[in-house]
Amino acid sequence: MVRRLCGEFMENGDGFLSRIRSALRKTSEKISISIAGGKVDNRLLRGLEETLILADVGVETAERLVSGIAGRKFSSGNEEEIKQFLANEISALLKPYESDFFQREFTTIPHILLLAGVNGNGKTTTAAKMAHIFKKSGRRPLLVAADTFRAAATEQLAHWAEKIGVDISVGREKADPAGLVYGSIERAKRENHQVVIVDTAGRLHHRDDLLAELGKIKRVAAKFDPTAPHCTILVLDGMTGQAAHHQVGTFLEKVGIDGLAVTKLDGSAKGGAVVALTQKYKLPILAVGVGEGPDDLRPFRAQEYAAAILG
Ligand SMILES: Nc1nc2c(ncn2[C@@H]2O[C@H](COP(=O)(O)OP(=O)(O)O)[C@@H](O)[C@H]2O)c(=O)[nH]1
Ligand SMILES: [Mg+2]
Protein backbone atom coordinates (compact mmCIF):
# COMPACT_ATOMS: atom_id res chain seq x y z
CA MET A 1 0.00 0.00 0.00
CA VAL A 2 1.28 3.45 -0.86
CA ARG A 3 1.53 5.76 2.08
CA ARG A 4 0.05 9.10 1.12
CA LEU A 5 2.86 11.04 2.70
CA CYS A 6 2.37 14.11 0.61
CA GLY A 7 -1.39 14.00 0.33
CA GLU A 8 -1.87 17.09 2.39
CA PHE A 9 0.72 19.00 0.44
CA MET A 10 -0.79 18.09 -2.89
CA GLU A 11 -4.32 19.14 -2.07
CA ASN A 12 -3.20 22.46 -0.62
CA GLY A 13 -2.20 25.63 -2.38
CA ASP A 14 -3.60 27.06 -5.55
CA GLY A 15 -4.31 24.72 -8.39
CA PHE A 16 -1.78 23.36 -10.78
CA LEU A 17 -4.48 23.76 -13.39
CA SER A 18 -4.93 27.50 -12.94
CA ARG A 19 -1.16 28.04 -13.09
CA ILE A 20 -0.59 26.25 -16.35
CA ARG A 21 -3.94 27.18 -17.83
CA SER A 22 -2.97 30.82 -18.22
CA ALA A 23 0.38 29.84 -19.74
CA LEU A 24 -1.28 27.46 -22.17
CA ARG A 25 -4.02 29.88 -23.11
CA LYS A 26 -2.42 30.64 -26.47
CA THR A 27 -2.40 26.96 -27.39
CA SER A 28 -5.93 26.31 -26.20
CA GLU A 29 -7.24 29.41 -28.00
CA LYS A 30 -5.63 28.30 -31.24
CA ILE A 31 -7.16 24.85 -30.87
CA SER A 32 -10.55 26.45 -30.29
CA ILE A 33 -10.16 28.53 -33.44
CA SER A 34 -9.08 25.55 -35.50
CA ILE A 35 -12.18 23.56 -34.54
CA ALA A 36 -14.60 26.51 -34.62
CA GLY A 37 -17.94 25.55 -36.12
CA GLY A 38 -17.39 21.93 -35.19
CA LYS A 39 -17.90 20.70 -38.74
CA VAL A 40 -15.35 17.93 -39.20
CA ASP A 41 -14.00 18.36 -42.71
CA ASN A 42 -10.56 18.43 -44.31
CA ARG A 43 -10.08 22.11 -43.59
CA LEU A 44 -10.75 21.62 -39.88
CA LEU A 45 -8.56 18.54 -39.63
CA ARG A 46 -5.63 20.20 -41.41
CA GLY A 47 -5.92 23.33 -39.30
CA LEU A 48 -6.05 21.33 -36.09
CA GLU A 49 -3.07 19.19 -37.06
CA GLU A 50 -1.02 22.29 -37.78
CA THR A 51 -2.01 23.86 -34.46
CA LEU A 52 -1.03 20.73 -32.56
CA ILE A 53 2.30 20.52 -34.33
CA LEU A 54 3.01 24.19 -33.59
CA ALA A 55 2.22 23.49 -29.93
CA ASP A 56 5.04 20.91 -30.01
CA VAL A 57 2.98 17.76 -29.37
CA GLY A 58 5.05 16.08 -32.09
CA VAL A 59 4.12 15.30 -35.67
CA GLU A 60 3.22 11.65 -35.11
CA THR A 61 1.04 12.38 -32.12
CA ALA A 62 -0.68 15.24 -33.95
CA GLU A 63 -1.44 12.91 -36.86
CA ARG A 64 -2.73 10.25 -34.54
CA LEU A 65 -5.03 12.66 -32.70
CA VAL A 66 -6.38 14.12 -35.91
CA SER A 67 -7.05 10.75 -37.53
CA GLY A 68 -8.86 9.77 -34.34
CA ILE A 69 -11.21 12.68 -34.93
CA ALA A 70 -11.53 11.93 -38.64
CA GLY A 71 -12.59 8.38 -37.90
CA ARG A 72 -15.32 9.34 -35.47
CA LYS A 73 -18.92 10.49 -35.71
CA PHE A 74 -19.58 13.74 -33.89
CA SER A 75 -22.99 15.33 -33.69
CA SER A 76 -22.55 18.17 -36.19
CA GLY A 77 -21.58 21.60 -34.98
CA ASN A 78 -20.40 20.46 -31.58
CA GLU A 79 -16.98 21.94 -30.77
CA GLU A 80 -17.24 20.94 -27.14
CA GLU A 81 -17.59 17.31 -28.10
CA ILE A 82 -14.42 17.47 -30.19
CA LYS A 83 -12.56 19.21 -27.37
CA GLN A 84 -13.71 16.62 -24.88
CA PHE A 85 -12.61 13.86 -27.21
CA LEU A 86 -9.16 15.45 -27.65
CA ALA A 87 -8.79 16.03 -23.91
CA ASN A 88 -9.56 12.38 -23.23
CA GLU A 89 -7.14 11.20 -25.90
CA ILE A 90 -4.27 13.42 -24.68
CA SER A 91 -4.96 12.46 -21.09
CA ALA A 92 -4.81 8.77 -22.02
CA LEU A 93 -1.48 9.33 -23.81
CA LEU A 94 0.00 11.03 -20.74
CA LYS A 95 -1.51 8.86 -18.02
CA PRO A 96 1.21 6.15 -18.07
CA TYR A 97 3.80 8.83 -17.31
CA GLU A 98 2.29 10.06 -14.06
CA SER A 99 4.38 9.05 -11.06
CA ASP A 100 4.06 8.50 -7.33
CA PHE A 101 7.50 10.03 -6.90
CA PHE A 102 6.67 12.10 -3.81
CA GLN A 103 4.79 9.29 -2.09
CA ARG A 104 7.16 6.44 -2.83
CA GLU A 105 8.54 4.46 0.09
CA PHE A 106 12.33 4.63 0.23
CA THR A 107 13.68 1.10 -0.10
CA THR A 108 17.12 2.13 1.11
CA ILE A 109 17.91 4.97 3.50
CA PRO A 110 19.36 7.40 2.75
CA HIS A 111 17.54 7.56 -0.55
CA ILE A 112 19.74 9.32 -3.09
CA LEU A 113 18.36 11.59 -5.80
CA LEU A 114 20.62 13.03 -8.48
CA LEU A 115 19.51 16.07 -10.47
CA ALA A 116 21.08 16.66 -13.85
CA GLY A 117 20.46 18.99 -16.74
CA VAL A 118 21.58 21.98 -18.74
CA ASN A 119 22.33 25.29 -17.01
CA GLY A 120 19.32 27.48 -16.35
CA ASN A 121 16.81 24.64 -16.63
CA GLY A 122 15.94 24.85 -12.95
CA LYS A 123 18.03 22.15 -11.23
CA THR A 124 18.95 24.15 -8.15
CA THR A 125 15.43 25.49 -7.69
CA THR A 126 13.93 22.03 -8.21
CA ALA A 127 16.38 20.45 -5.73
CA ALA A 128 15.29 22.99 -3.12
CA LYS A 129 11.58 22.54 -3.84
CA MET A 130 11.97 18.76 -3.53
CA ALA A 131 13.73 19.15 -0.20
CA HIS A 132 10.84 21.35 0.93
CA ILE A 133 8.27 18.71 -0.07
CA PHE A 134 10.13 15.89 1.68
CA LYS A 135 10.53 17.99 4.80
CA LYS A 136 6.80 18.71 4.83
CA SER A 137 6.05 15.02 4.60
CA GLY A 138 8.29 14.29 7.58
CA ARG A 139 11.37 12.97 5.80
CA ARG A 140 14.63 14.74 6.61
CA PRO A 141 16.44 15.85 3.47
CA LEU A 142 20.08 16.75 2.94
CA LEU A 143 20.82 19.04 0.02
CA VAL A 144 24.20 18.62 -1.65
CA ALA A 145 25.67 21.56 -3.58
CA ALA A 146 27.67 19.47 -6.04
CA ASP A 147 27.87 22.32 -8.55
CA THR A 148 31.22 23.30 -7.04
CA PHE A 149 32.35 24.86 -10.28
CA ARG A 150 30.67 28.18 -9.57
CA ALA A 151 30.65 29.70 -6.08
CA ALA A 152 27.37 31.40 -6.94
CA ALA A 153 25.70 28.03 -7.43
CA THR A 154 26.60 26.92 -3.91
CA GLU A 155 25.42 30.26 -2.54
CA GLN A 156 22.11 29.93 -4.37
CA LEU A 157 21.41 26.51 -2.89
CA ALA A 158 22.62 27.61 0.56
CA HIS A 159 20.18 30.51 0.39
CA TRP A 160 17.34 28.10 -0.39
CA ALA A 161 18.40 25.71 2.39
CA GLU A 162 18.20 28.53 4.89
CA LYS A 163 14.87 29.72 3.56
CA ILE A 164 13.18 26.31 3.81
CA GLY A 165 15.10 25.21 6.89
CA VAL A 166 16.91 22.09 5.68
CA ASP A 167 20.51 20.89 6.01
CA ILE A 168 23.01 21.40 3.23
CA SER A 169 26.38 19.95 2.40
CA VAL A 170 28.83 22.23 0.59
CA GLY A 171 32.37 21.80 -0.66
CA ARG A 172 35.25 24.13 -1.33
CA GLU A 173 35.15 25.99 -4.64
CA LYS A 174 36.26 23.66 -7.49
CA ALA A 175 36.28 20.70 -5.08
CA ASP A 176 35.65 17.28 -6.62
CA PRO A 177 31.84 16.90 -6.76
CA ALA A 178 32.02 13.11 -6.47
CA GLY A 179 34.08 13.39 -3.29
CA LEU A 180 31.56 15.82 -1.87
CA VAL A 181 28.73 13.43 -2.68
CA TYR A 182 30.51 10.55 -0.94
CA GLY A 183 31.11 12.63 2.18
CA SER A 184 27.51 13.79 2.10
CA ILE A 185 26.15 10.25 2.00
CA GLU A 186 28.29 9.38 5.02
CA ARG A 187 26.98 12.46 6.77
CA ALA A 188 23.38 11.52 5.92
CA LYS A 189 23.88 8.08 7.48
CA ARG A 190 25.41 9.64 10.58
CA GLU A 191 22.78 12.33 10.98
CA ASN A 192 19.74 10.32 9.90
CA HIS A 193 18.77 12.16 6.77
CA GLN A 194 16.33 9.96 4.88
CA VAL A 195 16.87 11.58 1.50
CA VAL A 196 19.95 13.11 -0.14
CA ILE A 197 19.27 15.49 -3.01
CA VAL A 198 22.30 16.18 -5.19
CA ASP A 199 22.32 19.37 -7.28
CA THR A 200 24.91 19.23 -10.07
CA ALA A 201 26.63 21.55 -12.50
CA GLY A 202 25.11 22.00 -15.93
CA ARG A 203 27.62 23.94 -17.97
CA LEU A 204 26.86 23.19 -21.56
CA HIS A 205 30.16 24.03 -23.22
CA HIS A 206 32.06 21.43 -21.21
CA ARG A 207 29.56 18.79 -22.01
CA ASP A 208 31.92 15.81 -22.06
CA ASP A 209 33.50 16.85 -18.76
CA LEU A 210 30.10 17.33 -17.29
CA LEU A 211 28.78 13.97 -18.40
CA ALA A 212 31.93 12.24 -17.15
CA GLU A 213 31.49 14.02 -13.82
CA LEU A 214 27.92 12.77 -13.52
CA GLY A 215 29.12 9.26 -14.25
CA LYS A 216 31.69 9.57 -11.48
CA ILE A 217 29.06 10.82 -9.01
CA LYS A 218 26.88 7.84 -9.89
CA ARG A 219 29.74 5.39 -9.35
CA VAL A 220 30.61 6.92 -6.01
CA ALA A 221 27.00 6.67 -4.85
CA ALA A 222 26.88 3.05 -6.01
CA LYS A 223 29.92 2.24 -3.86
CA PHE A 224 27.83 3.02 -0.84
CA ASP A 225 24.79 1.15 -2.12
CA PRO A 226 24.63 -0.69 -5.47
CA THR A 227 21.09 0.61 -6.07
CA ALA A 228 22.18 4.25 -5.66
CA PRO A 229 21.55 6.80 -6.97
CA HIS A 230 17.99 5.62 -6.55
CA CYS A 231 16.70 8.13 -9.01
CA THR A 232 18.57 10.20 -11.60
CA ILE A 233 16.35 13.04 -12.70
CA LEU A 234 16.81 15.13 -15.81
CA VAL A 235 15.54 18.66 -15.24
CA LEU A 236 14.13 20.22 -18.40
CA ASP A 237 12.94 23.73 -19.11
CA GLY A 238 9.34 23.46 -20.33
CA MET A 239 9.80 26.58 -22.42
CA THR A 240 12.58 25.23 -24.63
CA GLY A 241 10.35 23.07 -26.82
CA GLN A 242 12.30 21.06 -29.37
CA ALA A 243 15.74 21.60 -27.79
CA ALA A 244 14.56 19.50 -24.86
CA HIS A 245 14.49 16.43 -27.11
CA HIS A 246 18.17 16.71 -27.84
CA GLN A 247 18.93 17.05 -24.13
CA VAL A 248 16.91 13.97 -23.21
CA GLY A 249 18.61 11.96 -25.95
CA THR A 250 22.10 12.96 -24.82
CA PHE A 251 21.56 12.41 -21.09
CA LEU A 252 19.76 9.13 -21.63
CA GLU A 253 22.61 7.79 -23.68
CA LYS A 254 25.55 9.19 -21.74
CA VAL A 255 24.35 9.23 -18.13
CA GLY A 256 21.16 7.22 -17.87
CA ILE A 257 18.08 8.86 -16.42
CA ASP A 258 15.06 7.49 -14.59
CA GLY A 259 12.62 10.32 -15.00
CA LEU A 260 12.03 13.93 -15.91
CA ALA A 261 11.22 17.08 -13.99
CA VAL A 262 9.79 19.75 -16.29
CA THR A 263 10.05 23.30 -15.01
CA LYS A 264 8.54 26.66 -15.93
CA LEU A 265 5.24 25.25 -17.09
CA ASP A 266 3.72 28.43 -15.66
CA GLY A 267 5.39 30.31 -18.51
CA SER A 268 5.36 27.79 -21.32
CA ALA A 269 3.07 28.64 -24.20
CA LYS A 270 4.11 25.44 -25.98
CA GLY A 271 2.85 22.96 -23.46
CA GLY A 272 2.64 20.22 -26.03
CA ALA A 273 6.33 19.46 -25.47
CA VAL A 274 5.47 17.25 -22.50
CA VAL A 275 3.25 15.15 -24.76
CA ALA A 276 5.96 14.70 -27.39
CA LEU A 277 8.69 13.93 -24.83
CA THR A 278 6.72 11.24 -23.06
CA GLN A 279 5.66 9.56 -26.31
CA LYS A 280 9.20 9.55 -27.65
CA TYR A 281 11.28 8.65 -24.61
CA LYS A 282 8.74 6.80 -22.42
CA LEU A 283 10.10 8.42 -19.25
CA PRO A 284 7.88 9.31 -16.29
CA ILE A 285 7.30 12.96 -15.42
CA LEU A 286 8.29 12.92 -11.76
CA ALA A 287 7.46 16.55 -11.04
CA VAL A 288 6.55 19.79 -12.76
CA GLY A 289 7.58 23.32 -11.85
CA VAL A 290 4.86 25.96 -11.94
CA GLY A 291 6.63 28.95 -10.38
CA GLU A 292 9.64 30.17 -8.45
CA GLY A 293 8.40 29.64 -4.90
CA PRO A 294 9.11 26.65 -2.61
CA ASP A 295 5.57 25.28 -3.07
CA ASP A 296 5.65 25.52 -6.85
CA LEU A 297 6.68 21.96 -7.59
CA ARG A 298 3.81 19.55 -8.23
CA PRO A 299 3.14 15.99 -9.20
CA PHE A 300 2.23 15.65 -12.86
CA ARG A 301 -1.43 14.91 -13.50
CA ALA A 302 -2.33 13.79 -17.01
CA GLN A 303 -5.97 14.77 -16.87
CA GLU A 304 -5.32 18.26 -15.52
CA TYR A 305 -2.63 18.81 -18.07
CA ALA A 306 -4.82 17.73 -20.97
CA ALA A 307 -7.61 19.94 -19.64
CA ALA A 308 -5.23 22.91 -19.61
CA ILE A 309 -4.11 22.30 -23.20
CA LEU A 310 -7.74 22.23 -24.30
CA GLY A 311 -8.66 25.23 -22.15
N1 LIG B 1 8.64 30.64 -13.61
C1 LIG B 1 9.42 29.64 -13.21
N2 LIG B 1 10.75 29.86 -13.03
C2 LIG B 1 11.51 28.82 -12.62
C3 LIG B 1 10.97 27.53 -12.39
N3 LIG B 1 11.98 26.72 -12.02
C4 LIG B 1 13.11 27.47 -12.01
N4 LIG B 1 12.83 28.75 -12.38
C5 LIG B 1 13.78 29.87 -12.54
O1 LIG B 1 14.72 29.58 -13.55
C6 LIG B 1 15.98 30.17 -13.26
C7 LIG B 1 17.10 29.12 -13.33
O2 LIG B 1 16.89 28.18 -12.28
P1 LIG B 1 18.08 27.41 -11.55
O3 LIG B 1 17.45 26.53 -10.54
O4 LIG B 1 19.13 28.34 -11.09
O5 LIG B 1 18.64 26.53 -12.79
P2 LIG B 1 19.95 25.61 -12.87
O6 LIG B 1 20.99 26.42 -13.57
O7 LIG B 1 19.54 24.43 -13.69
O8 LIG B 1 20.34 25.24 -11.49
C8 LIG B 1 15.83 30.81 -11.89
O9 LIG B 1 15.59 32.18 -12.04
C9 LIG B 1 14.61 30.11 -11.30
O10 LIG B 1 13.93 30.91 -10.37
C10 LIG B 1 9.54 27.34 -12.60
O11 LIG B 1 8.97 26.25 -12.45
N5 LIG B 1 8.84 28.43 -13.00
MG1 LIG C 1 22.16 25.43 -10.52
Side-chain angles (χ1 to χ4, degrees):
M1 198 185 76
V2 178
R3 256 203 300 165
R4 297 229 149 233
L5 283 167
C6 297
E8 192 191 349
F9 155 78
M10 278 185 278
E11 309 318 330
N12 281 346
D14 58 310
F16 166 67
L17 195 54
S18 68
R19 286 291 181 91
I20 58 169
R21 194 167 253 169
S22 51
L24 292 178
R25 185 155 293 142
K26 268 201 186 118
T27 302
S28 62
E29 277 171 2
K30 282 189 186 136
I31 291 176
S32 289
I33 292 167
S34 66
I35 59 172
K39 188 166 165 287
V40 179
D41 54 17
N42 271 338
R43 206 180 56 89
L44 179 143
L45 294 172
R46 261 202 325 257
L48 177 61
E49 187 173 336
E50 191 184 317
T51 304
L52 291 170
I53 291 171
L54 288 175
D56 277 346
V57 305
V59 175
E60 266 176 46
T61 306
E63 279 172 1
R64 195 135 64 103
L65 290 169
V66 167
S67 56
I69 290 177
R72 232 182 115 89
K73 277 250 167 291
F74 292 97
S75 33
S76 61
N78 198 341
E79 295 162 37
E80 277 314 308
E81 204 185 335
I82 300 177
K83 262 193 198 177
Q84 191 57 54
F85 173 79
L86 271 176
N88 289 343
E89 292 289 296
I90 292 174
S91 174
L93 288 176
L94 294 173
K95 191 82 189 163
Y97 305 102
E98 288 184 349
S99 157
D100 64 347
F101 178 72
F102 293 115
Q103 290 138 298
R104 228 177 259 171
E105 291 284 358
F106 299 151
T107 46
T108 314
I109 288 176
H111 190 74
I112 297 157
L113 304 177
L114 179 63
L115 272 67
V118 168
N119 251 351
N121 278 8
K123 287 180 300 298
T124 302
T125 312
T126 302
K129 289 171 177 172
M130 283 182 174
H132 181 62
I133 293 173
F134 288 121
K135 187 190 176 197
K136 278 172 92 173
S137 68
R139 299 193 271 188
R140 269 186 88 210
L142 176 64
L143 281 168
V144 183
D147 182 355
T148 55
F149 194 71
R150 296 179 306 132
T154 297
E155 278 163 30
Q156 185 192 358
L157 194 66
H159 182 77
W160 268 107
E162 196 186 332
K163 182 169 165 176
I164 59 180
V166 304
D167 291 333
I168 180 169
S169 188
V170 302
R172 276 170 295 104
E173 200 176 338
K174 312 273 192 298
D176 174 29
L180 175 66
V181 169
Y182 195 82
S184 303
I185 296 171
E186 288 188 318
R187 175 179 168 192
K189 286 165 79 174
R190 226 172 31 240
E191 298 180 4
N192 296 319
H193 293 97
Q194 284 102 340
V195 53
V196 176
I197 304 168
V198 182
D199 180 29
T200 63
R203 51 195 191 277
L204 195 54
H205 47 286
H206 289 149
R207 180 164 252 165
D208 286 335
D209 284 19
L210 161 75
L211 297 170
E213 183 177 295
L214 284 169
K216 198 171 163 199
I217 291 177
K218 286 185 95 168
R219 286 195 300 279
V220 151
K223 271 191 190 141
F224 141 83
D225 164 15
T227 61
H230 302 96
C231 199
T232 302
I233 302 158
L234 181 66
V235 181
L236 293 173
D237 178 337
M239 296 203 282
T240 53
Q242 286 300 316
H245 285 261
H246 181 64
Q247 293 171 20
V248 179
T250 303
F251 279 83
L252 248 186
E253 184 198 347
K254 301 264 169 83
V255 185
I257 48 182
D258 302 306
L260 306 175
V262 185
T263 66
K264 309 184 197 181
L265 286 187
D266 51 311
S268 170
K270 294 196 160 201
V274 171
V275 182
L277 285 167
T278 54
Q279 303 311 300
K280 186 163 174 193
Y281 295 103
K282 319 277 182 216
L283 286 164
I285 308 288
L286 305 176
V288 291
V290 291
E292 294 184 275
D295 288 309
D296 294 333
L297 190 72
R298 309 285 163 88
F300 175 67
R301 296 278 171 258
Q303 203 187 345
E304 291 182 359
Y305 197 78
I309 292 182
L310 272 304

